[in-house]
Amino acid sequence: MADLICLGEPLFELNARTDGAFQSGFGGDVSNVAVAAARQGTKSALISCVGADHFGDQLRELWSHEGVDHTHVANVRDGETGMYFVFHDDEGHRFVYRRKGSAASLMMPRHVPVEAMANARMFYTSGISLGVSPELRTTTQHAIHTARSANVPVAIDPNLRTALWPLEQAREVTHSVMQHCQIALPGLDDARQLTGLQSPSDIIRFYHDLGAEIVALTLGSDGIALSQGDGIHSLPGLRVDAVDATGAGDCFNGVFLSCYLRTKDAMKSAELANRAAALSTTGFGAVDSIPFPKDLSKEPV
């Protein structure tokens, strides 16, 4: 039985290092969240599909090593596991994807395990899961409905990728499903595009008006703006020697949800997740740099 059950597309990662070589790793926003939560001691599980290929096998080895339940990740015999490249320049990091027609993009509602969903304490998904393909969109919407029917709280990061679908469609679909979430975990840049609003306070009010009880708005290096409907609490960003911000938002989400499931204290959860996200930028890759609890007890350098 999982405390946190997540649905989305896992990906194999090739991250360009400064010496020109590519460092292999793993990604996919929802998989990253499941790993980040598991590293904090939360029982997490993933609902997805992978190809019956080397990359899918490696992802399963990762989940087994990290303690993420992948019982509900199906092997698609003729499918392929998606992958992406990360390139870095003076403006930050840039992604190039090879995921069209991936096994996860063809997921169907029948892949959603009703009993496992009903027994979870929290369900998590993202806007990327809505945007990858019509099939995965329908499956994600079905999973949200399944969770709510079982009174399982839903957490969503509206994570926007305009390369996947038009902005207007992303706005309509994402905000429609976010009416059913209790915890909204938007990033500032994505939220500005999706809502058309600029100020953190207006964005937070927007997501509360959709129905979210808790809004944790990540502000990049500027920290976090947290609201439970009783005012906005700001947490400053932590100074670190950042080299790669890939997956920092996912790290925040996984650590936040893990701590919140354990404590029901949103402020404490945001403080811990803020530290974790900052530390995750000091290493390369979306997964390798996710901190463990012992790392979070140290002062950032």
mmCIF file with all atom_site columns, all heavy atoms in Angstrom, residues 255-277:
data_model
loop_
_atom_site.group_PDB
_atom_site.id
_atom_site.type_symbol
_atom_site.label_atom_id
_atom_site.label_alt_id
_atom_site.label_comp_id
_atom_site.label_asym_id
_atom_site.label_entity_id
_atom_site.label_seq_id
_atom_site.pdbx_PDB_ins_code
_atom_site.Cartn_x
_atom_site.Cartn_y
_atom_site.Cartn_z
_atom_site.occupancy
_atom_site.B_iso_or_equiv
_atom_site.pdbx_formal_charge
_atom_site.auth_seq_id
_atom_site.auth_comp_id
_atom_site.auth_asym_id
_atom_site.auth_atom_id
_atom_site.pdbx_PDB_model_num
ATOM 1   N N   . VAL A 1 255 ? 9.529  16.182 -1.868 1.00 0.00 ? 255 VAL A N   1
ATOM 2   C CA  . VAL A 1 255 ? 9.876  16.376 -0.462 1.00 0.00 ? 255 VAL A CA  1
ATOM 3   C C   . VAL A 1 255 ? 8.730  17.060 0.277  1.00 0.00 ? 255 VAL A C   1
ATOM 4   O O   . VAL A 1 255 ? 8.399  16.700 1.413  1.00 0.00 ? 255 VAL A O   1
ATOM 5   C CB  . VAL A 1 255 ? 11.180 17.184 -0.336 1.00 0.00 ? 255 VAL A CB  1
ATOM 6   C CG1 . VAL A 1 255 ? 11.494 17.507 1.124  1.00 0.00 ? 255 VAL A CG1 1
ATOM 7   C CG2 . VAL A 1 255 ? 12.342 16.402 -0.950 1.00 0.00 ? 255 VAL A CG2 1
ATOM 8   N N   . PHE A 1 256 ? 8.089  18.032 -0.370 1.00 0.00 ? 256 PHE A N   1
ATOM 9   C CA  . PHE A 1 256 ? 6.948  18.706 0.253  1.00 0.00 ? 256 PHE A CA  1
ATOM 10  C C   . PHE A 1 256 ? 5.843  17.714 0.584  1.00 0.00 ? 256 PHE A C   1
ATOM 11  O O   . PHE A 1 256 ? 5.335  17.685 1.715  1.00 0.00 ? 256 PHE A O   1
ATOM 12  C CB  . PHE A 1 256 ? 6.401  19.800 -0.670 1.00 0.00 ? 256 PHE A CB  1
ATOM 13  C CG  . PHE A 1 256 ? 5.211  20.524 -0.109 1.00 0.00 ? 256 PHE A CG  1
ATOM 14  C CD1 . PHE A 1 256 ? 5.380  21.666 0.665  1.00 0.00 ? 256 PHE A CD1 1
ATOM 15  C CD2 . PHE A 1 256 ? 3.923  20.065 -0.337 1.00 0.00 ? 256 PHE A CD2 1
ATOM 16  C CE1 . PHE A 1 256 ? 4.275  22.334 1.209  1.00 0.00 ? 256 PHE A CE1 1
ATOM 17  C CE2 . PHE A 1 256 ? 2.817  20.719 0.189  1.00 0.00 ? 256 PHE A CE2 1
ATOM 18  C CZ  . PHE A 1 256 ? 2.995  21.861 0.961  1.00 0.00 ? 256 PHE A CZ  1
ATOM 19  N N   . LEU A 1 257 ? 5.449  16.901 -0.391 1.00 0.00 ? 257 LEU A N   1
ATOM 20  C CA  . LEU A 1 257 ? 4.343  15.966 -0.170 1.00 0.00 ? 257 LEU A CA  1
ATOM 21  C C   . LEU A 1 257 ? 4.716  14.902 0.857  1.00 0.00 ? 257 LEU A C   1
ATOM 22  O O   . LEU A 1 257 ? 3.879  14.502 1.681  1.00 0.00 ? 257 LEU A O   1
ATOM 23  C CB  . LEU A 1 257 ? 3.934  15.324 -1.491 1.00 0.00 ? 257 LEU A CB  1
ATOM 24  C CG  . LEU A 1 257 ? 3.308  16.280 -2.514 1.00 0.00 ? 257 LEU A CG  1
ATOM 25  C CD1 . LEU A 1 257 ? 3.070  15.564 -3.837 1.00 0.00 ? 257 LEU A CD1 1
ATOM 26  C CD2 . LEU A 1 257 ? 2.023  16.895 -1.997 1.00 0.00 ? 257 LEU A CD2 1
ATOM 27  N N   . SER A 1 258 ? 5.962  14.449 0.832  1.00 0.00 ? 258 SER A N   1
ATOM 28  C CA  . SER A 1 258 ? 6.409  13.468 1.813  1.00 0.00 ? 258 SER A CA  1
ATOM 29  C C   . SER A 1 258 ? 6.296  14.028 3.230  1.00 0.00 ? 258 SER A C   1
ATOM 30  O O   . SER A 1 258 ? 5.749  13.379 4.128  1.00 0.00 ? 258 SER A O   1
ATOM 31  C CB  . SER A 1 258 ? 7.854  13.064 1.531  1.00 0.00 ? 258 SER A CB  1
ATOM 32  O OG  . SER A 1 258 ? 8.356  12.231 2.545  1.00 0.00 ? 258 SER A OG  1
ATOM 33  N N   . CYS A 1 259 ? 6.817  15.228 3.417  1.00 0.00 ? 259 CYS A N   1
ATOM 34  C CA  . CYS A 1 259 ? 6.786  15.845 4.746  1.00 0.00 ? 259 CYS A CA  1
ATOM 35  C C   . CYS A 1 259 ? 5.348  16.150 5.165  1.00 0.00 ? 259 CYS A C   1
ATOM 36  O O   . CYS A 1 259 ? 4.968  15.951 6.323  1.00 0.00 ? 259 CYS A O   1
ATOM 37  C CB  . CYS A 1 259 ? 7.630  17.108 4.759  1.00 0.00 ? 259 CYS A CB  1
ATOM 38  S SG  . CYS A 1 259 ? 7.813  17.863 6.383  1.00 0.00 ? 259 CYS A SG  1
ATOM 39  N N   . TYR A 1 260 ? 4.540  16.609 4.213  1.00 0.00 ? 260 TYR A N   1
ATOM 40  C CA  . TYR A 1 260 ? 3.153  16.947 4.555  1.00 0.00 ? 260 TYR A CA  1
ATOM 41  C C   . TYR A 1 260 ? 2.353  15.709 4.946  1.00 0.00 ? 260 TYR A C   1
ATOM 42  O O   . TYR A 1 260 ? 1.549  15.749 5.891  1.00 0.00 ? 260 TYR A O   1
ATOM 43  C CB  . TYR A 1 260 ? 2.471  17.665 3.393  1.00 0.00 ? 260 TYR A CB  1
ATOM 44  C CG  . TYR A 1 260 ? 1.086  18.141 3.751  1.00 0.00 ? 260 TYR A CG  1
ATOM 45  C CD1 . TYR A 1 260 ? 0.915  19.264 4.555  1.00 0.00 ? 260 TYR A CD1 1
ATOM 46  C CD2 . TYR A 1 260 ? -0.042 17.456 3.319  1.00 0.00 ? 260 TYR A CD2 1
ATOM 47  C CE1 . TYR A 1 260 ? -0.350 19.697 4.920  1.00 0.00 ? 260 TYR A CE1 1
ATOM 48  C CE2 . TYR A 1 260 ? -1.306 17.877 3.668  1.00 0.00 ? 260 TYR A CE2 1
ATOM 49  C CZ  . TYR A 1 260 ? -1.467 18.999 4.472  1.00 0.00 ? 260 TYR A CZ  1
ATOM 50  O OH  . TYR A 1 260 ? -2.727 19.413 4.835  1.00 0.00 ? 260 TYR A OH  1
ATOM 51  N N   . LEU A 1 261 ? 2.565  14.612 4.259  1.00 0.00 ? 261 LEU A N   1
ATOM 52  C CA  . LEU A 1 261 ? 1.876  13.371 4.622  1.00 0.00 ? 261 LEU A CA  1
ATOM 53  C C   . LEU A 1 261 ? 2.265  12.919 6.028  1.00 0.00 ? 261 LEU A C   1
ATOM 54  O O   . LEU A 1 261 ? 1.459  12.339 6.755  1.00 0.00 ? 261 LEU A O   1
ATOM 55  C CB  . LEU A 1 261 ? 2.201  12.269 3.610  1.00 0.00 ? 261 LEU A CB  1
ATOM 56  C CG  . LEU A 1 261 ? 1.482  12.366 2.262  1.00 0.00 ? 261 LEU A CG  1
ATOM 57  C CD1 . LEU A 1 261 ? 2.102  11.391 1.260  1.00 0.00 ? 261 LEU A CD1 1
ATOM 58  C CD2 . LEU A 1 261 ? -0.008 12.084 2.424  1.00 0.00 ? 261 LEU A CD2 1
ATOM 59  N N   . ARG A 1 262 ? 3.492  13.209 6.396  1.00 0.00 ? 262 ARG A N   1
ATOM 60  C CA  . ARG A 1 262 ? 3.989  12.800 7.710  1.00 0.00 ? 262 ARG A CA  1
ATOM 61  C C   . ARG A 1 262 ? 3.557  13.747 8.824  1.00 0.00 ? 262 ARG A C   1
ATOM 62  O O   . ARG A 1 262 ? 3.264  13.312 9.941  1.00 0.00 ? 262 ARG A O   1
ATOM 63  C CB  . ARG A 1 262 ? 5.522  12.721 7.654  1.00 0.00 ? 262 ARG A CB  1
ATOM 64  C CG  . ARG A 1 262 ? 6.172  12.144 8.906  1.00 0.00 ? 262 ARG A CG  1
ATOM 65  C CD  . ARG A 1 262 ? 7.670  11.929 8.703  1.00 0.00 ? 262 ARG A CD  1
ATOM 66  N NE  . ARG A 1 262 ? 8.400  13.179 8.496  1.00 0.00 ? 262 ARG A NE  1
ATOM 67  C CZ  . ARG A 1 262 ? 8.898  13.580 7.349  1.00 0.00 ? 262 ARG A CZ  1
ATOM 68  N NH1 . ARG A 1 262 ? 8.750  12.837 6.259  1.00 0.00 ? 262 ARG A NH1 1
ATOM 69  N NH2 . ARG A 1 262 ? 9.559  14.725 7.247  1.00 0.00 ? 262 ARG A NH2 1
ATOM 70  N N   . THR A 1 263 ? 3.501  15.049 8.541  1.00 0.00 ? 263 THR A N   1
ATOM 71  C CA  . THR A 1 263 ? 3.309  16.037 9.601  1.00 0.00 ? 263 THR A CA  1
ATOM 72  C C   . THR A 1 263 ? 2.010  16.832 9.512  1.00 0.00 ? 263 THR A C   1
ATOM 73  O O   . THR A 1 263 ? 1.580  17.424 10.516 1.00 0.00 ? 263 THR A O   1
ATOM 74  C CB  . THR A 1 263 ? 4.462  17.054 9.587  1.00 0.00 ? 263 THR A CB  1
ATOM 75  O OG1 . THR A 1 263 ? 4.389  17.832 8.374  1.00 0.00 ? 263 THR A OG1 1
ATOM 76  C CG2 . THR A 1 263 ? 5.811  16.348 9.664  1.00 0.00 ? 263 THR A CG2 1
ATOM 77  N N   . LYS A 1 264 ? 1.418  16.912 8.313  1.00 0.00 ? 264 LYS A N   1
ATOM 78  C CA  . LYS A 1 264 ? 0.269  17.787 8.045  1.00 0.00 ? 264 LYS A CA  1
ATOM 79  C C   . LYS A 1 264 ? 0.598  19.254 8.327  1.00 0.00 ? 264 LYS A C   1
ATOM 80  O O   . LYS A 1 264 ? -0.293 20.071 8.578  1.00 0.00 ? 264 LYS A O   1
ATOM 81  C CB  . LYS A 1 264 ? -0.957 17.357 8.872  1.00 0.00 ? 264 LYS A CB  1
ATOM 82  C CG  . LYS A 1 264 ? -1.467 15.971 8.538  1.00 0.00 ? 264 LYS A CG  1
ATOM 83  C CD  . LYS A 1 264 ? -1.882 15.861 7.079  1.00 0.00 ? 264 LYS A CD  1
ATOM 84  C CE  . LYS A 1 264 ? -2.406 14.467 6.762  1.00 0.00 ? 264 LYS A CE  1
ATOM 85  N NZ  . LYS A 1 264 ? -2.738 14.321 5.318  1.00 0.00 ? 264 LYS A NZ  1
ATOM 86  N N   . ASP A 1 265 ? 1.859  19.601 8.273  1.00 0.00 ? 265 ASP A N   1
ATOM 87  C CA  . ASP A 1 265 ? 2.331  20.959 8.529  1.00 0.00 ? 265 ASP A CA  1
ATOM 88  C C   . ASP A 1 265 ? 2.886  21.519 7.217  1.00 0.00 ? 265 ASP A C   1
ATOM 89  O O   . ASP A 1 265 ? 4.002  21.193 6.807  1.00 0.00 ? 265 ASP A O   1
ATOM 90  C CB  . ASP A 1 265 ? 3.420  20.942 9.610  1.00 0.00 ? 265 ASP A CB  1
ATOM 91  C CG  . ASP A 1 265 ? 3.865  22.327 10.041 1.00 0.00 ? 265 ASP A CG  1
ATOM 92  O OD1 . ASP A 1 265 ? 3.821  23.260 9.206  1.00 0.00 ? 265 ASP A OD1 1
ATOM 93  O OD2 . ASP A 1 265 ? 4.290  22.471 11.205 1.00 0.00 ? 265 ASP A OD2 1
ATOM 94  N N   . ALA A 1 266 ? 2.091  22.358 6.539  1.00 0.00 ? 266 ALA A N   1
ATOM 95  C CA  . ALA A 1 266 ? 2.482  22.851 5.225  1.00 0.00 ? 266 ALA A CA  1
ATOM 96  C C   . ALA A 1 266 ? 3.700  23.755 5.295  1.00 0.00 ? 266 ALA A C   1
ATOM 97  O O   . ALA A 1 266 ? 4.558  23.719 4.398  1.00 0.00 ? 266 ALA A O   1
ATOM 98  C CB  . ALA A 1 266 ? 1.315  23.595 4.575  1.00 0.00 ? 266 ALA A CB  1
ATOM 99  N N   . MET A 1 267 ? 3.812  24.580 6.340  1.00 0.00 ? 267 MET A N   1
ATOM 100 C CA  . MET A 1 267 ? 4.960  25.475 6.454  1.00 0.00 ? 267 MET A CA  1
ATOM 101 C C   . MET A 1 267 ? 6.249  24.691 6.661  1.00 0.00 ? 267 MET A C   1
ATOM 102 O O   . MET A 1 267 ? 7.264  24.948 6.000  1.00 0.00 ? 267 MET A O   1
ATOM 103 C CB  . MET A 1 267 ? 4.761  26.462 7.596  1.00 0.00 ? 267 MET A CB  1
ATOM 104 C CG  . MET A 1 267 ? 5.934  27.417 7.801  1.00 0.00 ? 267 MET A CG  1
ATOM 105 S SD  . MET A 1 267 ? 6.319  28.411 6.332  1.00 0.00 ? 267 MET A SD  1
ATOM 106 C CE  . MET A 1 267 ? 4.924  29.536 6.366  1.00 0.00 ? 267 MET A CE  1
ATOM 107 N N   . LYS A 1 268 ? 6.220  23.739 7.568  1.00 0.00 ? 268 LYS A N   1
ATOM 108 C CA  . LYS A 1 268 ? 7.399  22.908 7.797  1.00 0.00 ? 268 LYS A CA  1
ATOM 109 C C   . LYS A 1 268 ? 7.771  22.154 6.523  1.00 0.00 ? 268 LYS A C   1
ATOM 110 O O   . LYS A 1 268 ? 8.954  22.027 6.177  1.00 0.00 ? 268 LYS A O   1
ATOM 111 C CB  . LYS A 1 268 ? 7.141  21.924 8.934  1.00 0.00 ? 268 LYS A CB  1
ATOM 112 C CG  . LYS A 1 268 ? 8.301  20.993 9.245  1.00 0.00 ? 268 LYS A CG  1
ATOM 113 C CD  . LYS A 1 268 ? 7.984  20.079 10.421 1.00 0.00 ? 268 LYS A CD  1
ATOM 114 C CE  . LYS A 1 268 ? 9.155  19.150 10.728 1.00 0.00 ? 268 LYS A CE  1
ATOM 115 N NZ  . LYS A 1 268 ? 8.847  18.257 11.886 1.00 0.00 ? 268 LYS A NZ  1
ATOM 116 N N   . SER A 1 269 ? 6.763  21.677 5.808  1.00 0.00 ? 269 SER A N   1
ATOM 117 C CA  . SER A 1 269 ? 7.004  20.937 4.567  1.00 0.00 ? 269 SER A CA  1
ATOM 118 C C   . SER A 1 269 ? 7.641  21.827 3.517  1.00 0.00 ? 269 SER A C   1
ATOM 119 O O   . SER A 1 269 ? 8.560  21.412 2.796  1.00 0.00 ? 269 SER A O   1
ATOM 120 C CB  . SER A 1 269 ? 5.684  20.362 4.049  1.00 0.00 ? 269 SER A CB  1
ATOM 121 O OG  . SER A 1 269 ? 5.091  19.496 5.002  1.00 0.00 ? 269 SER A OG  1
ATOM 122 N N   . ALA A 1 270 ? 7.173  23.073 3.413  1.00 0.00 ? 270 ALA A N   1
ATOM 123 C CA  . ALA A 1 270 ? 7.728  24.010 2.438  1.00 0.00 ? 270 ALA A CA  1
ATOM 124 C C   . ALA A 1 270 ? 9.169  24.380 2.778  1.00 0.00 ? 270 ALA A C   1
ATOM 125 O O   . ALA A 1 270 ? 10.015 24.505 1.886  1.00 0.00 ? 270 ALA A O   1
ATOM 126 C CB  . ALA A 1 270 ? 6.861  25.255 2.355  1.00 0.00 ? 270 ALA A CB  1
ATOM 127 N N   . GLU A 1 271 ? 9.455  24.559 4.053  1.00 0.00 ? 271 GLU A N   1
ATOM 128 C CA  . GLU A 1 271 ? 10.822 24.895 4.472  1.00 0.00 ? 271 GLU A CA  1
ATOM 129 C C   . GLU A 1 271 ? 11.787 23.768 4.116  1.00 0.00 ? 271 GLU A C   1
ATOM 130 O O   . GLU A 1 271 ? 12.881 24.007 3.580  1.00 0.00 ? 271 GLU A O   1
ATOM 131 C CB  . GLU A 1 271 ? 10.851 25.162 5.977  1.00 0.00 ? 271 GLU A CB  1
ATOM 132 C CG  . GLU A 1 271 ? 10.142 26.448 6.379  1.00 0.00 ? 271 GLU A CG  1
ATOM 133 C CD  . GLU A 1 271 ? 10.015 26.591 7.879  1.00 0.00 ? 271 GLU A CD  1
ATOM 134 O OE1 . GLU A 1 271 ? 10.261 25.595 8.603  1.00 0.00 ? 271 GLU A OE1 1
ATOM 135 O OE2 . GLU A 1 271 ? 9.664  27.693 8.345  1.00 0.00 ? 271 GLU A OE2 1
ATOM 136 N N   . LEU A 1 272 ? 11.391 22.526 4.389  1.00 0.00 ? 272 LEU A N   1
ATOM 137 C CA  . LEU A 1 272 ? 12.256 21.386 4.090  1.00 0.00 ? 272 LEU A CA  1
ATOM 138 C C   . LEU A 1 272 ? 12.425 21.218 2.584  1.00 0.00 ? 272 LEU A C   1
ATOM 139 O O   . LEU A 1 272 ? 13.534 20.984 2.086  1.00 0.00 ? 272 LEU A O   1
ATOM 140 C CB  . LEU A 1 272 ? 11.670 20.117 4.710  1.00 0.00 ? 272 LEU A CB  1
ATOM 141 C CG  . LEU A 1 272 ? 12.571 18.879 4.668  1.00 0.00 ? 272 LEU A CG  1
ATOM 142 C CD1 . LEU A 1 272 ? 13.769 19.065 5.606  1.00 0.00 ? 272 LEU A CD1 1
ATOM 143 C CD2 . LEU A 1 272 ? 11.774 17.627 5.074  1.00 0.00 ? 272 LEU A CD2 1
ATOM 144 N N   . ALA A 1 273 ? 11.313 21.349 1.849  1.00 0.00 ? 273 ALA A N   1
ATOM 145 C CA  . ALA A 1 273 ? 11.362 21.168 0.401  1.00 0.00 ? 273 ALA A CA  1
ATOM 146 C C   . ALA A 1 273 ? 12.147 22.288 -0.278 1.00 0.00 ? 273 ALA A C   1
ATOM 147 O O   . ALA A 1 273 ? 12.819 22.063 -1.294 1.00 0.00 ? 273 ALA A O   1
ATOM 148 C CB  . ALA A 1 273 ? 9.944  21.103 -0.156 1.00 0.00 ? 273 ALA A CB  1
ATOM 149 N N   . ASN A 1 274 ? 12.072 23.489 0.263  1.00 0.00 ? 274 ASN A N   1
ATOM 150 C CA  . ASN A 1 274 ? 12.844 24.617 -0.260 1.00 0.00 ? 274 ASN A CA  1
ATOM 151 C C   . ASN A 1 274 ? 14.340 24.321 -0.164 1.00 0.00 ? 274 ASN A C   1
ATOM 152 O O   . ASN A 1 274 ? 15.105 24.550 -1.113 1.00 0.00 ? 274 ASN A O   1
ATOM 153 C CB  . ASN A 1 274 ? 12.489 25.871 0.537  1.00 0.00 ? 274 ASN A CB  1
ATOM 154 C CG  . ASN A 1 274 ? 13.102 27.138 -0.036 1.00 0.00 ? 274 ASN A CG  1
ATOM 155 O OD1 . ASN A 1 274 ? 13.234 27.285 -1.241 1.00 0.00 ? 274 ASN A OD1 1
ATOM 156 N ND2 . ASN A 1 274 ? 13.463 28.062 0.841  1.00 0.00 ? 274 ASN A ND2 1
ATOM 157 N N   . ARG A 1 275 ? 14.755 23.791 0.966  1.00 0.00 ? 275 ARG A N   1
ATOM 158 C CA  . ARG A 1 275 ? 16.159 23.408 1.162  1.00 0.00 ? 275 ARG A CA  1
ATOM 159 C C   . ARG A 1 275 ? 16.543 22.279 0.195  1.00 0.00 ? 275 ARG A C   1
ATOM 160 O O   . ARG A 1 275 ? 17.608 22.308 -0.428 1.00 0.00 ? 275 ARG A O   1
ATOM 161 C CB  . ARG A 1 275 ? 16.371 22.972 2.607  1.00 0.00 ? 275 ARG A CB  1
ATOM 162 C CG  . ARG A 1 275 ? 17.772 22.459 2.915  1.00 0.00 ? 275 ARG A CG  1
ATOM 163 C CD  . ARG A 1 275 ? 17.863 21.994 4.370  1.00 0.00 ? 275 ARG A CD  1
ATOM 164 N NE  . ARG A 1 275 ? 17.772 23.121 5.274  1.00 0.00 ? 275 ARG A NE  1
ATOM 165 C CZ  . ARG A 1 275 ? 18.822 23.805 5.713  1.00 0.00 ? 275 ARG A CZ  1
ATOM 166 N NH1 . ARG A 1 275 ? 20.039 23.479 5.321  1.00 0.00 ? 275 ARG A NH1 1
ATOM 167 N NH2 . ARG A 1 275 ? 18.663 24.813 6.530  1.00 0.00 ? 275 ARG A NH2 1
ATOM 168 N N   . ALA A 1 276 ? 15.671 21.293 0.068  1.00 0.00 ? 276 ALA A N   1
ATOM 169 C CA  . ALA A 1 276 ? 15.971 20.147 -0.795 1.00 0.00 ? 276 ALA A CA  1
ATOM 170 C C   . ALA A 1 276 ? 16.122 20.580 -2.248 1.00 0.00 ? 276 ALA A C   1
ATOM 171 O O   . ALA A 1 276 ? 17.049 20.137 -2.950 1.00 0.00 ? 276 ALA A O   1
ATOM 172 C CB  . ALA A 1 276 ? 14.869 19.098 -0.669 1.00 0.00 ? 276 ALA A CB  1
ATOM 173 N N   . ALA A 1 277 ? 15.231 21.438 -2.724 1.00 0.00 ? 277 ALA A N   1
ATOM 174 C CA  . ALA A 1 277 ? 15.290 21.884 -4.114 1.00 0.00 ? 277 ALA A CA  1
ATOM 175 C C   . ALA A 1 277 ? 16.575 22.649 -4.386 1.00 0.00 ? 277 ALA A C   1
ATOM 176 O O   . ALA A 1 277 ? 17.205 22.483 -5.435 1.00 0.00 ? 277 ALA A O   1
ATOM 177 C CB  . ALA A 1 277 ? 14.075 22.747 -4.436 1.00 0.00 ? 277 ALA A CB  1
#
